[in-house]
C-alpha cells in the first residue's frame, strides 16, 4: 500500500505540465473526517474536522472514533489569520494558547503552490470508478518540508503528503460535506477565555503538521 502511494506521488511530482500559470483554488467550508498516517505505517490520528474557509478557522478532534493504540488524542482549534491556536482539554476544562509560526494546513492550497499535474485515479472511462485531481506542490516556509496536495476539480482536498527529514505524513480526507454543521466548534470554549499566549521556545515551529510529529 505504502509503496503504491509513494509511486503515485512520484508520478505526480515528475509529471510534465504546461499549467504552471494556473492560480491555486481555495477550499470551501467543510465538515468531514481526517486520518493522519506516517509512510512507515503508523496511524497518528483519526478524527472529525470542521473548516471555515472564509474565516480561516479549523477544529480537529482526534481519537474520538476509531481510536488506536498508536494514535494521539488531540483537540485543536486553529485561527490561521490571527496566528494562534488552542490545544483543548474538554475533560479537564483547560486549554493552552499558542502562537502559530506556520499557518499552512492540509485543507487549503498555499498561494505560492505550483500545479504539477492533473491525474485520473481509478478508471476515467467507467462512470463512478474514477476521480480526476489536480496535484499542487511546494515547500513549507521556514522548514525543510515539501508537500504534495491532491484536490478535485471542485477544489475539495483528497490527500496531502508532507515530505519531512525524519518521516513523511499522509493526511487523507473522507466523508466531506460542504457545510459547517456545528459553528460552535469554531468558537473558543468559555473555559479558554482569558488564557494567555504561551511563550514559544527558541527553535520551535508551531503548525498543524507539527502537532503530529
Amino acid at each position: 500500500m505504502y509503496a503504491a502511494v509513494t509511486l503515485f506521488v512520484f508520478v505526480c511530482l515528475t509529471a510534465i505540465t504546461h499549467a504552471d500559470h494556473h492560480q491555486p483554488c481555495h477550499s470551501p467550508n467543510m465538515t468531514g473526517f481526517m486520518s493522519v498516517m506516517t509512510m512507515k505505517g503508523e496511524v497518528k490520528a483519526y478524527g472529525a474536522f470542521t473548516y471555515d474557509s472564509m474565516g480561516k478557522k479549523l477544529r480537529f478532534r482526534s481519537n474520538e472514533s476509531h481510536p488506536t493504540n498508536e494514535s494521539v488524542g488531540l483537540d485543536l482549534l486553529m485561527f490561521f489569520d490571527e496566528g494562534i491556536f488552542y490545544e483543548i482539554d474538554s475533560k479537564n476544562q483547560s486549554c493552552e494558547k499558542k502562537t502559530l509560526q506556520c499557518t499552512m494546513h492540509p485543507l487549503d492550497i498555499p498561494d505560492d503552490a505550483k500545479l504539477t499535474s492533473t491525474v485520473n485515479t481509478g478508471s476515467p472511462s467507467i462512470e463512478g470508478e474514477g476521480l480526476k485531481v489536480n496535484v499542487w506542490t511546494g515547500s513549507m516556509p521556514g522548514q525543510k518540508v515539501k508537500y504534495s496536495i491532491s484536490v478535485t476539480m471542485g477544489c475539495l482536498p483528497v490527500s496531502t503528503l508532507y515530505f519531512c527529514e525524519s518521516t513523511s505524513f499522509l493526511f487523507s480526507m473522507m466523508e466531506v460535506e460542504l457545510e459547517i454543521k456545528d459553528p460552535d466548534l469554531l468558537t473558543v470554549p468559555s473555559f479558554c477565555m482569558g488564557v494567555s499566549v504561551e511563550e514559544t521556545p527558541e527553535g520551535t515551529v508551531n503548525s498543524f503538521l507539527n502537532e503530529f510529529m
Side-chain angles (χ1 to χ4, degrees), residues 171-198:
F171 289 74
S172 300
M173 275 52 76
M174 296 154 285
E175 300 181 38
V176 176
E177 297 184 48
L178 302 182
E179 61 176 323
I180 298 175
K181 287 190 170 183
D182 186 356
D184 289 342
L185 289 173
L186 298 172
T187 61
V188 180
S190 58
F191 55 82
C192 293
M193 295 293 187
V195 175
S196 300
V197 178
E198 295 185 1

Side-chain angles (χ1 to χ4, degrees), residues 4 7 34 40 58 66 71 90 94 99 104-105 140 142 152 164 167 185 187 191 196 200 209:
L7 178 61
M34 180 189 299
K40 296 178 181 178
L58 169 64
H66 303 288
S71 63
S90 297
S94 64
T99 303
M104 183 181 168
H105 58 90
M140 289 182 67
T152 67
C164 311
T167 187
L185 289 173
T187 61
F191 55 82
S196 300
T200 303
L209 171 63

Side-chain angles (χ1 to χ4, degrees), residues 121-131:
T121 62
S123 175
S125 61
I126 304 175
E127 185 177 354
E129 298 298 331
L131 180 65

